[in-house]
Amino acid sequence: MGLIIERARANVSADLGVIEVPVEGVGKLRIALATGEEGERLHGAFVSMRDGYLGTAFTRVGASETPDIENDSRSREDLARWAGFGPAVAVPIGSGDVVRGVLLLTRRREEPSSLLKSQNL
């Protein structure tokens, strides 16, 4: 997982990369790995599997994109988690119809918003 997240961060110049995995039986995702700015603070945290920006990314098909994760309507309950971050993309990890987690890449708000233009994920 570490190699995946570091290469993805480098490809899009992301300030933060996060991989979340489901926790069986509790309806939550656990941040299994977080690297970059604020990574240590986020590592190991639990988030809803159905709500919020990460939960939405886990339950929908395809990438979830936003120009401003901190102020995105899907982040209402996670405002403190995404404070200072702007453009973000979250993509399900898995094969076929089986989603095994989510990869989130985001930049600080002051960075250029070309993260959303990158399709190299």
Side-chain angles (χ1 to χ4, degrees):
M1 282 194 300
L3 182 60
I4 291 169
I5 202 166
E6 286 306 319
R7 293 243 171 111
R9 279 185 60 217
N11 284 342
V12 297
S13 301
D15 294 311
L16 173 66
V18 177
I19 292 179
E20 304 83 22
V21 295
V23 179
E24 289 188 40
V26 295
K28 300 265 185 195
L29 296 170
R30 183 179 63 84
I31 297 178
L33 183 61
T35 64
E37 292 185 32
E38 304 289 332
E40 286 185 25
R41 180 177 64 83
L42 296 173
H43 182 82
F46 291 88
V47 298
S48 172
M49 189 182 287
R50 302 278 178 229
D51 301 315
Y53 191 79
L54 297 174
T56 300
F58 183 76
T59 58
R60 71 174 266 170
V61 176
S64 296
E65 303 172 345
T66 182
D68 186 357
I69 192 170
E70 181 180 9
N71 294 301
D72 190 285
S73 62
R74 295 167 287 186
S75 298
R76 279 184 293 241
E77 296 181 22
D78 295 327
L79 293 178
R81 180 172 286 126
W82 308 124
F85 288 98
V89 61
V91 293
I93 300 170
S95 62
D97 293 336
V98 179
V99 177
R100 300 193 186 279
V102 175
L103 168 66
L104 170 92
L105 301 167
T106 186
R107 287 189 183 149
R108 283 287 182 188
R109 185 174 296 124
E110 58 270 6
E111 293 296 318
S113 61
S114 61
L115 176 62
L116 296 180
K117 295 177 185 173
S118 175
Q119 298 298 316
N120 295 329
L121 301 176

